[in-house]
Amino acid sequence: MIDPDSGPHLGQVVEILKGRDKEQFCVVVRIDSPRFVYIADGDKRKYDRAKRKNVLHLNLIDYISSEVKESIEETGRVTNGKLRYALQKFLEQQNHLLKEGE
């Protein structure tokens, strides 16, 4: 569990609230400042072409991908495959929680 007031973290899954990619999920791959982050999903938005977004245009979700975070901290980058895997794992977990709630 992370504190939502503490700002974004590396490897954190976010939902885009504004812009062309509205209602899609991405992962924070770099923190530019307390107000701006770079996000990527490994598919449409690759790590090398990460999108700079205002934190106010994102919904910070209480889920951090340990694989992505560790990879960025160790090597300074992450593969697009790991980003896709992290998002897939998150979405599967969300679907599992929704099915339990029915």
Side-chain angles (χ1 to χ4, degrees):
M1 195 87 175
I2 57 174
D3 182 19
D5 296 330
S6 65
H9 300 278
L10 282 179
Q12 185 171 10
V13 175
V14 297
E15 180 183 11
I16 301 171
L17 301 175
K18 303 266 183 167
R20 179 182 309 187
D21 299 326
K22 185 178 179 180
E23 299 177 356
Q24 293 183 5
F25 294 97
C26 285
V27 179
V28 174
V29 293
R30 191 168 77 210
I31 299 173
D32 193 29
S33 69
R35 189 170 173 186
F36 290 98
V37 296
Y38 284 84
I39 57 172
D41 65 4
D43 185 28
K44 293 178 184 173
R45 181 66 66 179
K46 308 282 187 192
Y47 174 80
D48 294 334
R49 308 260 310 158
K51 175 73 176 167
R52 184 175 188 247
K53 290 290 277 187
N54 188 329
V55 175
L56 297 176
H57 297 171
L58 301 172
N59 178 21
L60 302 176
I61 297 174
D62 190 18
Y63 180 87
I64 295 179
S65 170
S66 59
E67 295 93 358
V68 173
K69 182 179 179 181
E70 290 169 4
S71 179
I72 292 173
E73 288 174 350
E74 289 174 9
T75 64
R77 61 177 292 118
V78 66
T79 64
N80 292 314
K82 277 189 184 176
L83 291 172
R84 289 190 301 269
Y85 174 77
L87 287 172
Q88 179 184 6
K89 187 174 166 184
F90 166 74
L91 292 173
E92 287 174 359
Q93 180 183 5
Q94 292 299 101
N95 287 337
H96 180 68
L97 291 175
L98 286 176
K99 288 179 182 176
E100 283 182 0
E102 291 179 352

